[in-house]
Protein backbone atom coordinates (compact mmCIF):
# COMPACT_ATOMS: atom_id res chain seq x y z
CA UNK A 1 0.00 0.00 0.00
CA UNK A 2 1.23 3.48 -0.88
CA UNK A 3 2.13 5.95 1.82
CA UNK A 4 -0.20 8.86 2.58
CA UNK A 5 0.32 12.35 3.94
CA UNK A 6 -2.36 13.82 6.20
CA UNK A 7 -3.55 17.43 6.39
CA UNK A 8 -5.25 18.09 9.75
CA UNK A 9 -7.56 21.11 9.94
CA UNK A 10 -8.00 23.57 12.76
CA UNK A 11 -11.16 23.78 14.83
CA UNK A 12 -10.39 24.11 18.54
CA UNK A 13 -12.41 21.77 20.73
CA UNK A 14 -13.60 19.87 17.65
CA UNK A 15 -10.15 18.34 17.31
CA UNK A 16 -11.13 15.07 18.99
CA UNK A 17 -12.63 14.10 15.62
CA UNK A 18 -9.09 13.85 14.21
CA UNK A 19 -8.17 11.29 16.89
CA UNK A 20 -11.05 9.16 15.67
CA UNK A 21 -9.77 9.48 12.10
CA UNK A 22 -6.33 8.41 13.30
CA UNK A 23 -7.81 5.38 15.09
CA UNK A 24 -9.49 4.22 11.88
CA UNK A 25 -6.38 4.78 9.76
CA UNK A 26 -4.35 2.69 12.22
CA UNK A 27 -6.98 -0.05 12.11
CA UNK A 28 -6.97 0.01 8.29
CA UNK A 29 -3.18 -0.25 8.25
CA UNK A 30 -2.73 2.86 6.10
CA UNK A 31 0.94 3.97 6.23
CA UNK A 32 1.47 7.64 7.06
CA UNK A 33 4.54 9.37 5.66
CA UNK A 34 3.79 12.94 6.74
CA UNK A 35 1.43 15.07 8.78
CA UNK A 36 0.79 18.79 8.33
CA UNK A 37 -1.56 20.56 10.72
CA UNK A 38 -3.03 23.93 11.56
CA UNK A 39 -4.05 25.01 15.06
CA UNK A 40 -5.46 21.99 16.91
CA UNK A 41 -4.51 19.98 13.83
CA UNK A 42 -0.87 20.87 14.49
CA UNK A 43 -1.17 19.71 18.11
CA UNK A 44 -2.85 16.45 17.12
CA UNK A 45 -0.32 16.04 14.32
CA UNK A 46 2.63 16.25 16.71
CA UNK A 47 1.08 13.53 18.88
CA UNK A 48 0.49 11.41 15.78
CA UNK A 49 4.13 11.78 14.74
CA UNK A 50 5.09 10.60 18.25
CA UNK A 51 2.68 7.65 17.81
CA UNK A 52 1.03 8.35 21.18
CA UNK A 53 -2.54 7.32 20.38
CA UNK A 54 -3.45 6.18 23.91
CA UNK A 55 -2.12 9.44 25.34
CA UNK A 56 -4.11 11.46 22.81
CA UNK A 57 -7.30 9.52 23.51
CA UNK A 58 -6.94 9.95 27.27
CA UNK A 59 -6.25 13.65 26.84
CA UNK A 60 -9.30 14.34 24.68
CA UNK A 61 -11.74 12.21 26.66
CA UNK A 62 -10.76 13.94 29.90
CA UNK A 63 -10.65 17.40 28.38
CA UNK A 64 -11.89 20.48 30.23
CA UNK A 65 -11.70 24.17 29.40
CA UNK A 66 -9.47 24.73 32.44
CA UNK A 67 -6.76 22.56 30.84
CA UNK A 68 -6.64 24.91 27.86
CA UNK A 69 -7.58 28.38 29.07
CA UNK A 70 -6.92 30.42 32.17
CA UNK A 71 -10.50 31.23 33.13
CA UNK A 72 -9.82 34.77 34.32
CA UNK A 73 -12.60 36.11 36.51
CA UNK A 74 -14.47 32.84 35.85
CA UNK A 75 -15.70 34.45 32.64
CA UNK A 76 -16.52 31.20 30.89
CA UNK A 77 -18.15 29.77 34.00
CA UNK A 78 -20.37 32.85 34.10
CA UNK A 79 -21.01 32.58 30.37
CA UNK A 80 -21.97 28.95 30.73
CA UNK A 81 -24.65 29.86 33.28
CA UNK A 82 -26.18 32.49 31.02
CA UNK A 83 -29.19 31.13 29.14
CA UNK A 84 -29.53 34.18 26.94
CA UNK A 85 -27.15 33.81 23.97
CA UNK A 86 -26.74 37.55 23.60
CA UNK A 87 -25.63 37.91 27.23
CA UNK A 88 -23.30 34.92 26.87
CA UNK A 89 -21.73 36.44 23.75
CA UNK A 90 -21.25 39.79 25.48
CA UNK A 91 -19.39 38.16 28.38
CA UNK A 92 -17.01 36.28 26.06
CA UNK A 93 -16.51 39.35 23.87
CA UNK A 94 -15.58 41.33 26.99
CA UNK A 95 -12.50 39.18 27.55
CA UNK A 96 -11.52 38.89 23.91
CA UNK A 97 -11.77 42.63 23.21
CA UNK A 98 -9.77 43.61 26.27
CA UNK A 99 -6.63 41.49 26.08
CA UNK A 100 -7.54 38.00 24.98
CA UNK A 101 -7.60 34.68 26.80
CA UNK A 102 -4.50 33.49 28.61
CA UNK A 103 -3.32 30.23 27.03
CA UNK A 104 -0.66 29.42 29.64
CA UNK A 105 -2.50 26.20 30.65
CA UNK A 106 -2.33 25.11 27.00
CA UNK A 107 1.43 25.73 26.93
CA UNK A 108 1.86 23.69 30.09
CA UNK A 109 -0.22 20.86 28.63
CA UNK A 110 1.68 20.80 25.33
CA UNK A 111 5.01 20.86 27.16
CA UNK A 112 3.95 17.78 29.12
CA UNK A 113 2.75 15.83 26.08
CA UNK A 114 5.11 16.75 23.25
CA UNK A 115 8.60 15.30 23.20
CA UNK A 116 10.50 17.43 20.69
CA UNK A 117 13.23 14.84 20.20
CA UNK A 118 10.70 12.13 19.36
CA UNK A 119 9.01 14.39 16.83
CA UNK A 120 12.30 15.31 15.20
CA UNK A 121 13.58 11.72 15.15
CA UNK A 122 10.33 10.25 13.81
CA UNK A 123 10.33 8.78 10.32
CA UNK A 124 7.21 10.86 9.64
CA UNK A 125 7.57 14.32 8.16
CA UNK A 126 5.78 17.03 10.14
CA UNK A 127 4.69 20.55 9.28
CA UNK A 128 2.67 23.34 10.89
CA UNK A 129 1.05 26.62 9.84
CA UNK A 130 0.89 29.87 11.81
CA UNK A 131 0.47 33.56 10.99
CA UNK A 132 2.95 36.32 11.90
CA UNK A 133 1.38 39.67 12.72
CA UNK A 134 4.42 41.70 11.72
CA UNK A 135 4.04 41.98 7.97
CA UNK A 136 0.82 39.94 8.13
CA UNK A 137 2.71 36.95 6.81
CA UNK A 138 1.65 33.28 6.65
CA UNK A 139 4.36 31.04 8.12
CA UNK A 140 4.62 27.40 7.04
CA UNK A 141 7.31 25.30 8.66
CA UNK A 142 8.34 21.69 8.48
CA UNK A 143 10.15 20.31 11.50
CA UNK A 144 13.58 20.88 9.96
CA UNK A 145 12.70 24.59 9.63
CA UNK A 146 11.81 25.03 13.31
CA UNK A 147 14.74 26.10 15.53
CA UNK A 148 15.82 23.49 18.06
CA UNK A 149 13.98 23.92 21.35
CA UNK A 150 11.18 25.96 19.77
CA UNK A 151 8.75 23.23 18.67
CA UNK A 152 6.32 23.75 21.56
CA UNK A 153 6.41 27.52 20.98
CA UNK A 154 5.51 27.16 17.32
CA UNK A 155 2.75 24.66 18.14
CA UNK A 156 1.21 27.27 20.44
CA UNK A 157 1.70 29.94 17.78
CA UNK A 158 -0.19 27.74 15.31
CA UNK A 159 -3.08 27.19 17.75
CA UNK A 160 -3.37 30.78 18.96
CA UNK A 161 -6.90 31.36 17.65
CA UNK A 162 -8.50 34.81 17.84
CA UNK A 163 -9.82 34.47 21.41
CA UNK A 164 -6.22 34.00 22.65
CA UNK A 165 -3.58 36.62 23.17
CA UNK A 166 -1.06 36.68 20.30
CA UNK A 167 1.91 34.44 21.11
CA UNK A 168 5.39 35.91 20.95
CA UNK A 169 8.49 34.11 19.65
CA UNK A 170 11.78 36.00 19.26
CA UNK A 171 10.05 39.42 19.29
CA UNK A 172 7.50 38.37 16.67
CA UNK A 173 3.83 37.92 17.51
CA UNK A 174 1.85 35.07 16.02
CA UNK A 175 -1.82 34.15 15.79
CA UNK A 176 -3.75 31.10 14.69
CA UNK A 177 -2.65 29.39 11.49
CA UNK A 178 -6.25 29.39 10.29
CA UNK A 179 -5.64 32.93 9.07
CA UNK A 180 -3.14 31.47 6.61
CA UNK A 181 -4.36 27.97 5.70
CA UNK A 182 -6.72 26.08 7.96
CA UNK A 183 -6.30 22.72 6.18
CA UNK A 184 -2.69 22.70 4.94
CA UNK A 185 -3.04 20.51 1.86
CA UNK A 186 -0.92 23.11 0.08
CA UNK A 187 2.12 22.37 2.29
CA UNK A 188 2.00 18.72 1.36
CA UNK A 189 1.43 19.36 -2.35
CA UNK A 190 4.33 21.81 -2.41
CA UNK A 191 6.55 19.14 -0.84
CA UNK A 192 5.53 16.72 -3.58
CA UNK A 193 3.35 14.28 -1.65
CA UNK A 194 1.05 12.57 -4.13
CA UNK A 195 -1.43 10.80 -1.82
CA UNK A 196 -3.06 13.08 0.71
CA UNK A 197 -5.83 12.61 3.27
CA UNK A 198 -7.57 15.88 4.14
CA UNK A 199 -9.34 16.04 7.52
CA UNK A 200 -11.84 18.88 7.86
CA UNK A 201 -13.49 19.56 11.25
CA UNK A 202 -15.47 22.56 9.97
CA UNK A 203 -13.23 25.01 11.78
CA UNK A 204 -13.22 28.71 10.95
CA UNK A 205 -10.42 29.97 8.74
CA UNK A 206 -9.08 30.27 5.23
CA UNK A 207 -8.26 27.22 3.14
CA UNK A 208 -5.65 28.05 0.55
CA UNK A 209 -6.49 27.01 -2.99
CA UNK A 210 -3.95 24.78 -4.62
CA UNK A 211 -3.71 22.86 -7.87
CA UNK A 212 -4.44 19.25 -6.93
CA UNK A 213 -4.87 17.90 -10.46
CA UNK A 214 -1.82 15.66 -10.14
CA UNK A 215 -2.59 14.61 -6.56
CA UNK A 216 -4.79 11.87 -5.14
CA UNK A 217 -6.77 13.45 -2.30
CA UNK A 218 -9.16 11.65 0.01
CA UNK A 219 -11.46 14.07 1.84
CA UNK A 220 -12.77 13.27 5.31
CA UNK A 221 -15.23 15.74 6.82
CA UNK A 222 -17.45 15.55 9.87
CA UNK A 223 -20.89 14.20 8.98
CA UNK A 224 -22.49 15.66 12.09
CA UNK A 225 -22.13 18.66 14.37
CA UNK A 226 -18.93 18.64 16.48
CA UNK A 227 -19.92 21.37 18.92
CA UNK A 228 -18.36 24.77 19.48
CA UNK A 229 -14.67 25.55 19.03
CA UNK A 230 -14.44 26.41 22.76
CA UNK A 231 -16.59 23.49 23.93
CA UNK A 232 -13.78 21.59 25.65
CA UNK A 233 -15.62 18.69 27.23
CA UNK A 234 -14.54 15.06 27.54
CA UNK A 235 -17.98 13.60 26.85
CA UNK A 236 -18.40 15.75 23.76
CA UNK A 237 -14.94 14.65 22.60
CA UNK A 238 -15.91 10.98 22.96
CA UNK A 239 -18.74 11.55 20.51
CA UNK A 240 -16.43 13.43 18.13
CA UNK A 241 -13.82 10.66 18.26
CA UNK A 242 -16.44 8.02 17.46
CA UNK A 243 -17.78 10.13 14.62
CA UNK A 244 -14.28 10.60 13.17
CA UNK A 245 -13.61 6.88 13.42
CA UNK A 246 -16.79 5.81 11.65
CA UNK A 247 -16.69 8.62 9.07
CA UNK A 248 -13.23 7.40 8.08
CA UNK A 249 -14.32 3.77 7.76
CA UNK A 250 -17.16 4.97 5.50
CA UNK A 251 -14.76 7.09 3.45
CA UNK A 252 -12.66 3.97 2.81
CA UNK A 253 -15.83 1.95 1.98
CA UNK A 254 -15.51 -0.41 4.92
CA UNK A 255 -18.93 0.78 6.05
CA UNK A 256 -21.74 2.74 4.46
CA UNK A 257 -24.69 4.77 5.72
CA UNK A 258 -25.38 8.41 6.50
CA UNK A 259 -25.96 8.33 10.26
CA UNK A 260 -25.55 4.65 11.00
CA UNK A 261 -22.62 2.32 10.38
CA UNK A 262 -23.76 -0.36 7.98
CA UNK A 263 -21.97 -3.48 6.78
CA UNK A 264 -22.75 -5.48 3.69
CA UNK A 265 -24.75 -8.54 4.84
CA UNK A 266 -23.28 -11.98 4.45
CA UNK A 267 -25.09 -14.70 2.51
CA UNK A 268 -26.51 -16.48 5.57
CA UNK A 269 -28.08 -13.24 6.81
CA UNK A 270 -29.60 -12.65 3.38
CA UNK A 271 -31.31 -16.05 3.54
CA UNK A 272 -32.54 -15.65 7.13
CA UNK A 273 -33.78 -12.09 6.67
CA UNK A 274 -34.98 -12.30 3.09
CA UNK A 275 -38.51 -11.41 4.23
CA UNK A 276 -37.37 -7.85 4.92
CA UNK A 277 -37.73 -5.66 1.85
CA UNK A 278 -34.37 -4.12 1.00
CA UNK A 279 -34.96 -2.66 -2.45
CA UNK A 280 -37.76 -0.38 -3.50
CA UNK A 281 -40.11 -1.90 -6.06
CA UNK A 282 -42.87 -0.25 -8.07
CA UNK A 283 -45.49 -1.66 -5.71
CA UNK A 284 -43.71 0.15 -2.86
CA UNK A 285 -43.86 3.40 -4.79
CA UNK A 286 -47.58 2.84 -5.36
CA UNK A 287 -48.01 2.11 -1.66
CA UNK A 288 -46.14 5.29 -0.75
CA UNK A 289 -48.83 7.32 -2.48
CA UNK A 290 -51.66 5.11 -1.18
CA UNK A 291 -50.32 5.68 2.34
CA UNK A 292 -51.17 9.36 1.80
CA UNK A 293 -54.48 8.59 0.13
CA UNK A 294 -53.10 9.35 -3.34
CA UNK A 295 -52.93 7.48 -6.62
CA UNK A 296 -49.54 7.42 -8.32
CA UNK A 297 -51.09 7.71 -11.78
CA UNK A 298 -53.49 10.54 -10.95
CA UNK A 299 -52.68 14.20 -11.32
CA UNK A 300 -51.85 15.64 -7.90
CA UNK A 301 -52.84 18.98 -6.48
CA UNK A 302 -50.15 21.53 -5.61
CA UNK A 303 -50.70 20.78 -1.94
CA UNK A 304 -50.22 17.02 -2.39
CA UNK A 305 -47.10 17.63 -4.49
CA UNK A 306 -45.74 19.77 -1.66
CA UNK A 307 -46.47 17.05 0.90
CA UNK A 308 -44.84 14.22 -1.07
CA UNK A 309 -41.88 16.49 -1.90
CA UNK A 310 -41.35 17.16 1.83
CA UNK A 311 -41.10 13.45 2.62
CA UNK A 312 -38.84 12.64 -0.35
CA UNK A 313 -36.58 15.57 0.50
CA UNK A 314 -36.22 14.30 4.08
CA UNK A 315 -35.25 10.84 2.79
CA UNK A 316 -32.70 12.32 0.38
CA UNK A 317 -30.83 13.86 3.32
CA UNK A 318 -29.96 10.34 4.47
CA UNK A 319 -28.28 9.28 1.27
CA UNK A 320 -25.03 10.50 -0.26
CA UNK A 321 -26.24 9.40 -3.68
CA UNK A 322 -29.40 10.15 -5.66
CA UNK A 323 -32.29 8.05 -4.39
CA UNK A 324 -32.90 4.86 -6.32
CA UNK A 325 -34.37 1.40 -5.84
CA UNK A 326 -31.25 0.21 -4.01
CA UNK A 327 -30.75 2.94 -1.41
CA UNK A 328 -34.14 4.46 -0.60
CA UNK A 329 -35.24 1.90 1.98
CA UNK A 330 -31.82 2.00 3.64
CA UNK A 331 -32.11 5.76 4.00
CA UNK A 332 -35.61 5.37 5.46
CA UNK A 333 -34.32 2.71 7.87
CA UNK A 334 -31.69 5.13 9.15
CA UNK A 335 -34.31 7.82 9.72
CA UNK A 336 -36.50 5.35 11.57
CA UNK A 337 -33.62 4.06 13.70
CA UNK A 338 -32.58 7.58 14.63
CA UNK A 339 -36.06 8.67 15.66
CA UNK A 340 -36.72 5.60 17.82
CA UNK A 341 -33.35 5.84 19.56
CA UNK A 342 -31.34 2.92 18.17
CA UNK A 343 -27.67 3.11 19.21
CA UNK A 344 -25.74 4.83 16.48
CA UNK A 345 -22.05 4.02 16.95
CA UNK A 346 -21.90 0.31 16.33
CA UNK A 347 -21.83 -1.83 13.20
CA UNK A 348 -25.02 -3.28 11.74
CA UNK A 349 -26.07 -4.94 8.58
CA UNK A 350 -29.25 -3.46 7.12
CA UNK A 351 -31.13 -6.52 8.37
CA UNK A 352 -29.73 -6.16 11.89
CA UNK A 353 -30.79 -2.52 11.96
CA UNK A 354 -34.31 -3.48 10.89
CA UNK A 355 -34.36 -6.16 13.59
CA UNK A 356 -33.48 -3.50 16.16
CA UNK A 357 -36.30 -1.28 14.90
CA UNK A 358 -38.83 -4.15 15.02
CA UNK A 359 -37.72 -5.10 18.54
CA UNK A 360 -38.13 -1.50 19.68
CA UNK A 361 -41.55 -1.35 18.02
CA UNK A 362 -42.77 -4.53 19.72
CA UNK A 363 -41.51 -3.37 23.11
CA UNK A 364 -43.07 0.07 22.74
CA UNK A 365 -46.53 -0.93 21.51
CA UNK A 366 -46.94 -3.24 24.50
CA UNK A 367 -46.13 -0.38 26.87
CA UNK A 368 -49.07 1.23 28.70
CA UNK A 369 -47.72 4.71 27.92
CA UNK A 370 -48.01 3.97 24.22
CA UNK A 371 -51.63 2.88 24.66
CA UNK A 372 -52.42 6.15 26.42
CA UNK A 373 -50.61 8.12 23.71
CA UNK A 374 -52.44 6.27 20.92
CA UNK A 375 -55.80 7.15 22.47
CA UNK A 376 -54.70 10.77 22.61
CA UNK A 377 -53.75 10.75 18.92
CA UNK A 378 -57.00 9.02 17.95
CA UNK A 379 -58.93 11.68 19.84
CA UNK A 380 -56.85 14.32 18.11
CA UNK A 381 -57.65 12.84 14.67
CA UNK A 382 -61.38 12.53 15.40
CA UNK A 383 -62.03 16.02 16.61
CA UNK A 384 -63.88 18.31 14.24
CA UNK A 385 -61.69 21.38 14.59
CA UNK A 386 -58.75 22.01 12.31
CA UNK A 387 -55.83 19.63 12.93
CA UNK A 388 -52.53 21.33 13.69
CA UNK A 389 -49.15 20.16 14.95
CA UNK A 390 -46.81 22.08 17.21
CA UNK A 391 -43.64 21.37 15.20
CA UNK A 392 -41.34 22.47 18.01
CA UNK A 393 -42.63 19.65 20.15
CA UNK A 394 -44.06 21.77 22.96
CA UNK A 395 -47.30 19.81 23.28
CA UNK A 396 -47.89 16.24 24.48
CA UNK A 397 -48.89 15.31 20.93
CA UNK A 398 -45.29 15.50 19.69
CA UNK A 399 -43.56 12.32 20.74
CA UNK A 400 -41.56 11.40 17.66
CA UNK A 401 -40.93 7.82 18.74
CA UNK A 402 -44.61 7.07 19.37
CA UNK A 403 -45.64 8.91 16.20
CA UNK A 404 -43.33 6.59 14.24
CA UNK A 405 -45.05 3.57 15.81
CA UNK A 406 -48.61 4.86 15.51
CA UNK A 407 -50.86 3.03 12.98
CA UNK A 408 -48.15 1.53 10.71
CA UNK A 409 -50.59 0.28 8.08
CA UNK A 410 -49.84 1.04 4.46
CA UNK A 411 -53.37 1.76 3.38
CA UNK A 412 -56.40 3.05 5.26
CA UNK A 413 -59.82 4.15 4.06
CA UNK A 414 -60.47 6.61 6.85
CA UNK A 415 -60.23 10.13 5.40
CA UNK A 416 -59.49 11.64 8.82
CA UNK A 417 -56.48 9.35 9.21
CA UNK A 418 -55.31 10.29 5.73
CA UNK A 419 -55.72 13.95 6.62
CA UNK A 420 -53.61 13.34 9.75
CA UNK A 421 -50.91 11.59 7.69
CA UNK A 422 -50.75 14.46 5.22
CA UNK A 423 -50.39 16.93 8.04
CA UNK A 424 -47.69 14.78 9.64
CA UNK A 425 -45.83 14.63 6.32
CA UNK A 426 -45.97 18.41 5.91
CA UNK A 427 -45.02 19.26 9.49
CA UNK A 428 -42.70 16.37 10.44
CA UNK A 429 -41.58 14.68 7.19
CA UNK A 430 -38.87 12.59 8.85
CA UNK A 431 -41.44 11.11 11.22
CA UNK A 432 -43.71 10.38 8.28
CA UNK A 433 -40.85 8.71 6.37
CA UNK A 434 -40.06 6.55 9.41
CA UNK A 435 -43.71 5.55 9.91
CA UNK A 436 -43.95 4.71 6.21
CA UNK A 437 -40.78 2.59 6.43
CA UNK A 438 -42.19 0.67 9.39
CA UNK A 439 -45.38 0.18 7.39
CA UNK A 440 -43.36 -1.31 4.51
CA UNK A 441 -41.58 -3.70 6.86
CA UNK A 442 -44.69 -4.83 8.73
CA UNK A 443 -46.52 -5.44 5.48
CA UNK A 444 -43.83 -7.93 4.38
CA UNK A 445 -45.00 -11.58 4.06
CA UNK A 446 -43.57 -12.70 7.44
CA UNK A 447 -45.72 -10.11 9.21
Amino acid sequence: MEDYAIALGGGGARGGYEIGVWKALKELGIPIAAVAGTSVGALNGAVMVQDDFDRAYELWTSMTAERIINLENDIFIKAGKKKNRVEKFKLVKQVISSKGLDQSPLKQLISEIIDENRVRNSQMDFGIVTFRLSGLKPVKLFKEDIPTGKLVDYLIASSCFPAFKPYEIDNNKYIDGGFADNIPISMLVEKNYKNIISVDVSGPGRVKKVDTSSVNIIYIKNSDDLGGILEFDGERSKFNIELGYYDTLKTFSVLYGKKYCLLAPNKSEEVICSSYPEKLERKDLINFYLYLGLNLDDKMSARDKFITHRVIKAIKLYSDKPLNADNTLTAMAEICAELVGIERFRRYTYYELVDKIISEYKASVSDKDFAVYSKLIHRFIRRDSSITFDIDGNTPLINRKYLVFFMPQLTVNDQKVIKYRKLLSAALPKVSAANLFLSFILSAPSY
Side-chain angles (χ1 to χ4, degrees):
M1 184 179 292
E2 292 184 280
D3 288 350
Y4 278 83
I6 304 178
L8 297 176
R14 301 169 184 170
Y17 181 87
E18 296 172 343
I19 304 306
V21 173
W22 182 18
K23 176 184 175 183
L25 294 177
K26 287 171 70 70
E27 184 177 292
L28 293 170
I30 293 174
I32 306 302
V35 183
T38 299
S39 195
V40 72
L43 305 182
N44 283 333
V47 181
M48 288 178 68
V49 171
Q50 290 183 183
D51 198 24
D52 271 345
F53 176 82
D54 291 340
R55 188 88 180 267
Y57 184 86
E58 186 281 328
L59 171 66
W60 277 101
T61 55
S62 62
M63 186 64 73
T64 62
E66 290 86 350
R67 300 184 75 178
I68 304 297
I69 304 164
N70 184 5
L71 299 178
E72 296 170 300
N73 300 317
D74 296 324
I75 191 71
F76 275 87
I77 294 174
K78 292 178 183 177
K81 292 179 180 178
K82 292 286 185 182
K83 293 185 178 180
N84 185 294
R85 289 187 177 183
V86 174
E87 292 180 4
K88 184 182 291 190
F89 175 76
K90 284 180 179 177
L91 272 174
V92 176
K93 186 178 179 183
Q94 177 186 332
V95 171
I96 296 172
S97 61
S98 59
K99 56 180 179 178
L101 299 172
D102 178 9
Q103 71 271 51
S104 54
L106 175 62
K107 182 174 183 179
Q108 178 64 33
L109 183 63
I110 295 173
S111 298
E112 292 172 0
I113 293 171
I114 301 303
D115 184 328
E116 181 168 339
N117 287 331
R118 285 179 64 190
V119 173
R120 291 189 181 280
N121 293 330
S122 171
Q123 301 259 327
M124 283 190 214
D125 204 354
F126 178 58
I128 66 170
V129 180
T130 184
F131 191 86
R132 193 169 67 209
L133 286 177
S134 55
L136 301 178
K137 182 181 179 182
V139 177
K140 299 181 179 183
L141 303 168
F142 281 94
K143 59 184 179 181
E144 63 268 21
D145 305 316
I146 299 172
T148 303
K150 296 286 187 179
L151 178 61
V152 168
D153 291 303
Y154 277 97
L155 287 173
I156 298 169
S158 178
S159 56
C160 194
F161 54 88
F164 283 169
K165 301 173 185 177
Y167 190 76
E168 189 170 314
I169 304 174
D170 299 330
N171 298 318
N172 285 305
K173 290 184 177 180
Y174 295 87
I175 57 174
D176 192 272
F179 282 91
D181 192 354
N182 201 46
I183 309 174
I185 296 170
S186 60
M187 282 189 77
L188 299 170
V189 171
E190 288 162 10
K191 208 167 183 184
N192 218 25
Y193 288 102
K194 297 299 183 184
N195 297 296
I196 298 172
I197 298 169
S198 166
V199 184
D200 183 355
V201 296
S202 300
R206 170 180 181 255
V207 178
K208 182 179 177 181
K209 292 184 178 180
V210 60
D211 181 7
T212 57
S213 57
S214 62
V215 182
N216 170 37
I217 300 185
I218 295 173
Y219 294 94
I220 301 173
K221 181 175 172 57
N222 56 296
S223 63
D224 207 336
D225 179 53
L226 298 176
I229 60 173
L230 287 174
E231 194 179 338
F232 292 101
D233 175 79
E235 288 304 310
R236 179 75 212 197
S237 292
K238 287 179 184 177
F239 172 87
N240 292 348
I241 290 170
E242 288 288 279
L243 187 67
Y245 172 73
Y246 284 109
D247 278 354
T248 304
L249 293 181
K250 291 176 188 179
T251 300
F252 283 88
S253 301
V254 175
L255 302 172
Y256 71 101
K258 190 70 173 181
K259 291 277 187 177
Y260 284 80
C261 311
L262 301 176
L263 290 158
N266 60 44
K267 292 300 179 183
S268 61
E269 286 170 328
E270 287 179 358
V271 172
I272 293 170
C273 303
S274 59
S275 59
Y276 288 160
E278 185 183 12
K279 295 183 179 182
L280 199 66
E281 299 178 8
R282 178 169 171 79
K283 67 178 178 61
D284 298 315
L285 192 59
I286 292 171
N287 285 332
F288 167 63
Y289 286 90
L290 288 176
Y291 171 87
L292 294 172
L294 304 172
N295 189 316
L296 177 61
D297 297 321
D298 289 348
K299 185 176 180 180
M300 286 189 289
S301 67
R303 185 188 66 174
D304 288 337
K305 284 181 181 179
F306 168 77
I307 288 168
T308 55
H309 173 75
R310 289 273 291 168
V311 178
I312 293 169
K313 184 178 179 182
I315 298 170
K316 282 181 178 178
L317 293 175
Y318 283 71
S319 178
D320 289 325
K321 299 177 181 178
L323 292 180
N324 56 40
D326 293 324
N327 63 20
T328 299
L329 285 181
T330 302
M332 293 173 74
E334 289 200 58
I335 293 173
C336 193
E338 180 184 24
L339 291 178
V340 304
I342 305 299
E343 182 186 351
R344 178 178 176 184
F345 289 135
R346 56 156 291 186
R347 304 179 194 207
Y348 304 92
T349 64
Y350 166 81
Y351 300 120
E352 288 170 339
L353 189 62
V354 176
D355 271 336
K356 286 284 185 182
I357 293 169
I358 295 297
S359 296
E360 190 66 31
Y361 167 73
K362 289 178 177 178
S364 293
V365 296
S366 62
D367 189 279
K368 62 180 181 180
D369 289 339
F370 179 77
V372 172
Y373 191 83
S374 293
K375 288 180 181 178
L376 181 65
I377 294 294
H378 276 295
R379 197 177 307 130
F380 167 74
I381 293 171
R382 297 295 165 205
R383 71 187 187 186
D384 293 330
S385 58
S386 178
I387 301 175
T388 58
F389 271 109
D390 177 354
I391 298 177
D392 294 328
N394 295 322
T395 74
L397 287 177
I398 303 298
N399 179 318
R400 283 168 171 76
K401 180 176 179 180
Y402 284 170
L403 285 175
V404 169
F405 292 151
F406 179 71
M407 289 190 69
Q409 292 87 37
L410 274 175
T411 58
V412 293
N413 295 319
D414 190 322
Q415 290 303 307
K416 287 198 172 184
V417 173
I418 290 172
K419 182 179 179 182
Y420 153 79
R421 285 182 170 180
K422 288 184 176 182
L423 176 66
L424 183 69
S425 298
L428 300 168
K430 281 176 59 175
V431 175
S432 183
N435 183 253
L436 176 60
F437 173 76
L438 186 63
S439 300
F440 282 151
I441 296 300
L442 295 181
S443 68
S446 60
Y447 287 94

